Amino acid sequence: MAKVKVPRKSTSVDMTAMTDVAFLLLTFFMLATQFKPDEPVQVLTPSSVAEIPLPDVDVMLITISNDNRVFFDLQGEHYKKTLLEKMGKKFNITFTDEETTKFSNMSSFGMPIAQLKQYINLSPEKRKEMPSAGIPYDSLNNELGEWVMQSRYTNNGVRVAIKGDRDVSYPAIKQVIKTLQEKDVNRFNFITSMEGGQ
């Protein structure tokens, strides 16, 4: 009886489909990624062992630099537009639709509201060069309190986070916390870096 020959199959694999999938995934991630916006000031946060992550949406961020300047940011383009309109009405400043759109795409800012219109109309490169005095938060001129209050009216579910530099003075942090408590914000998060992570 004769042996039956089993036909040999090729050991090469067609990688065309796999390459197509890899490039589709790469393209998807490149288009869907949101880059972290430029911050107006570098802040070295104190270290901590806490591991509670901050949510990605509905966050009001108050940044305090090492020279006690305060910067403010609210997440969400729609919320920022509404917030700027409310602050404009509060301080009798009219913002155009173009200025409102530019503001909604900006990251943190730190200046009195009287200078905000000029700041918005600058190009992104010129904004980096413009010195920021910080948002006033002292007891006589507490614009930070107004930003906080109007943000809460705009987005009632917003969570407050304070990102303070590790070299900021204690009275500055105390004044920011006092401002939040005056506006009935008694729950807020401190942003820190992991212990030993620096």
Side-chain angles (χ1 to χ4, degrees), residues 59-70:
V59 175
M60 176 196 316
L61 179 64
I62 299 170
T63 306
I64 309 169
S65 66
N66 60 355
D67 55 357
N68 301 335
R69 292 178 296 155
V70 172

Side-chain angles (χ1 to χ4, degrees), residues 2-150:
K3 289 185 177 179
V4 178
K5 283 191 174 182
V6 178
R8 286 186 162 188
K9 293 189 178 177
S10 173
T11 56
S12 65
V13 179
D14 187 13
M15 294 297 290
T16 307
M18 186 67 79
T19 307
D20 287 345
V21 169
F23 278 110
L24 284 173
L25 284 172
L26 180 65
T27 305
F28 169 76
F29 287 121
M30 285 175 49
L31 296 176
T33 301
Q34 291 184 352
F35 294 101
K36 183 179 175 185
D38 289 337
E39 293 183 356
V41 66
Q42 287 289 353
V43 174
L44 298 174
T45 56
S47 57
S48 164
V49 293
E51 294 186 16
I52 301 171
L54 197 64
D56 293 334
V57 293
D58 295 337
V59 175
M60 176 196 316
L61 179 64
I62 299 170
T63 306
I64 309 169
S65 66
N66 60 355
D67 55 357
N68 301 335
R69 292 178 296 155
V70 172
F71 297 84
F72 183 86
D73 189 21
L74 179 68
Q75 290 183 348
E77 287 184 29
H78 172 71
Y79 294 132
K80 279 186 173 178
K81 287 180 180 180
T82 308
L83 173 62
L84 188 64
E85 291 169 6
K86 288 182 178 184
M87 288 297 288
K89 287 178 185 174
K90 180 82 176 170
F91 288 92
N92 295 321
I93 300 172
T94 306
F95 294 98
T96 64
D97 290 339
E98 182 183 352
E99 290 169 340
T100 306
T101 303
K102 284 182 182 178
F103 178 77
S104 69
N105 293 321
M106 283 175 22
S107 61
S108 297
F109 65 94
M111 63 201 44
I113 193 157
Q115 298 173 4
L116 189 58
K117 193 173 182 75
Q118 175 192 0
Y119 181 74
I120 292 171
N121 289 317
L122 293 174
S123 67
E125 294 79 26
K126 295 282 187 184
R127 284 185 201 143
K128 291 178 185 177
E129 297 171 7
M130 184 176 177
S132 296
I135 297 174
Y137 62 102
D138 59 350
S139 56
L140 296 175
N141 182 18
N142 195 345
E143 288 184 14
L144 177 63
E146 290 301 323
W147 283 106
V148 169
M149 185 60 95
Q150 297 303 326

